[in-house]
Amino acid sequence: MAIEIERKFLVVGDAWRTAPPVFYSQGYLNRDKARTVRVRIAGEEAFLTIKGTSVGARRAEFEYPIPVWDARELLALCEQPLIEKNRRKILHEGFVWEVDEFLGENLGLVVAEIELPSEDSVFAKPDWVGEEVTEDARYFNSNLSCTPFNRW
């Protein structure tokens, strides 16, 4: 079984804008917390992802590439609004940070995520990493699709 160990943080300042952005569009076919099913187009690639229940920073994750055309059709079946964001990948002291600058109904929200090899991994935070929100369900992308940031 594939396991994702991911921590999530709010972003401060603009120093993270060093890498070129890639546009992401994603939606949810199922947002049940026991099994989230996501469709995502990331630049010129597309994926179908199934995630299990989060336990802290850990959860089961299965991701499969799919044709972009299929992803567009599946996004039309997803709950609205779709999640739209620009993602930048930034290498910092041996780890890749993914910084998501949300658009659309989540405009104004900027979140950084780091995937770790284990839950007790030690990592250095860049200066632009702020408060940790890993366990705050409001920041789960699946929840941002039904309760967007601009409605908080």
Side-chain angles (χ1 to χ4, degrees), residues 8-10 26-28 31 36 40 79-85 87 100-113 133 136-152:
K8 189 177 292 204
F9 300 83
L10 296 178
Q26 66 189 47
Y28 293 86
R31 290 186 307 99
T36 302
R40 170 185 277 172
E79 299 176 35
Q80 300 296 316
L82 297 178
I83 298 291
E84 297 176 319
K85 58 189 176 182
R87 173 169 283 180
D100 290 338
E101 181 179 19
F102 288 85
L103 306 169
E105 295 200 38
N106 289 293
L107 185 66
L109 179 61
V110 183
V111 175
E113 299 173 347
V133 293
D136 187 336
R138 294 178 303 163
Y139 293 96
F140 296 175
N141 281 259
S142 58
N143 289 339
L144 289 170
S145 72
C146 64
T147 308
F149 182 66
N150 69 8
R151 294 186 201 161
W152 295 6

Side-chain angles (χ1 to χ4, degrees), residues 49-100:
T49 306
I50 299 108
K51 294 187 180 193
T53 302
S54 292
V55 179
R58 180 184 191 94
R59 64 181 161 181
E61 178 184 57
F62 304 90
E63 186 166 77
Y64 307 97
I66 61 173
V68 172
W69 178 256
D70 287 354
R72 286 189 188 114
E73 294 291 318
L74 288 169
L75 285 173
L77 300 175
C78 290
E79 299 176 35
Q80 300 296 316
L82 297 178
I83 298 291
E84 297 176 319
K85 58 189 176 182
N86 283 316
R87 173 169 283 180
R88 290 172 169 85
K89 294 185 180 188
I90 303 166
L91 182 63
H92 180 77
E93 295 195 24
F95 288 96
V96 175
W97 288 81
E98 297 177 338
V99 179
D100 290 338

